[in-house]
């Protein structure tokens, strides 16, 4: 099966906390960062997720926000520091490629955001991803 989702970063499950309907799964990425995914309890069972499972963290580009530094006071736990490597700007939207330790992310953001944040190749950024926007796939 082919997917249009470009953001796929390999990692290893470090913990699974399962409730009645939902679960939180923490995975350590190859670069050492920890990312949290909120998935259904059924997905944990169906994928056989457990501590030590090899997974791919999967995030749609439209679900990756960018900041020019760490952001506090938010419920967003997934904050991955990186560096802008490329920007493709259209009339309204832009895709921004960000190198993070152990992989690369693509963020689809507005052209205005690129201008407002002063983004260019080499700009240090933090990718912000809500746990509910992170899917896991077995490796």
């Amino acid at each position: 099966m082919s997917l249009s989702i470009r953001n796929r970063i390999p990692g290893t499950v470090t913990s699974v906390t399962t409730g009645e309907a939902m679960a939180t799964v923490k995975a350590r990425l190859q670069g050492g960062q920890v990312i949290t995914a909120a998935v259904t309890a059924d997905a944990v069972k169906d994928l056989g997720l457990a501590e030590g499972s090899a997974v791919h963290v999967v995030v749609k580009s439209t679900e990756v926000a960018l900041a020019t530094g760490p952001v506090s006071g938010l419920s967003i736990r997934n904050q991955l520091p990186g560096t802008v490597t490329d920007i493709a700007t259209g009339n309204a939207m832009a895709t921004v490629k960000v190198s993070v330790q152990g992989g690369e992310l693509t963020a689809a953001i507005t052209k205005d955001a690129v201008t407002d944040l002063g983004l260019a190749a080499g700009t240090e950024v933090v990718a912000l991803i809500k746990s509910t926007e992170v899917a896991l796939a077995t490796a």
Side-chain angles (χ1 to χ4, degrees), residues 3 13 21 28 32 36 40 50 54 62 66-67 81 84 104 106 109 124 126-127:
L3 294 174
V13 173
R28 182 171 310 285
T36 301
T40 65
T62 54
L66 298 176
V84 173
E104 182 176 82
T106 299
I109 62 175
E124 297 294 319
V126 176

Side-chain angles (χ1 to χ4, degrees), residues 9 27 29 31-37 57 59 63-83 98-101 105 124-131 134:
I9 302 175
L29 304 180
Q33 315 92 318
V34 175
I35 198 160
T36 301
V57 172
V59 185
E63 304 303 337
V64 178
L66 298 176
T68 54
V71 181
S72 61
L74 290 178
S75 64
I76 299 174
R77 299 286 183 258
N78 298 322
Q79 297 192 25
L80 304 176
T83 304
V98 178
S99 175
V100 297
Q101 196 173 26
L105 292 172
E124 297 294 319
V125 294
V126 176
L128 307 169
I129 310 166
K130 291 176 57 176
S131 298
V134 176

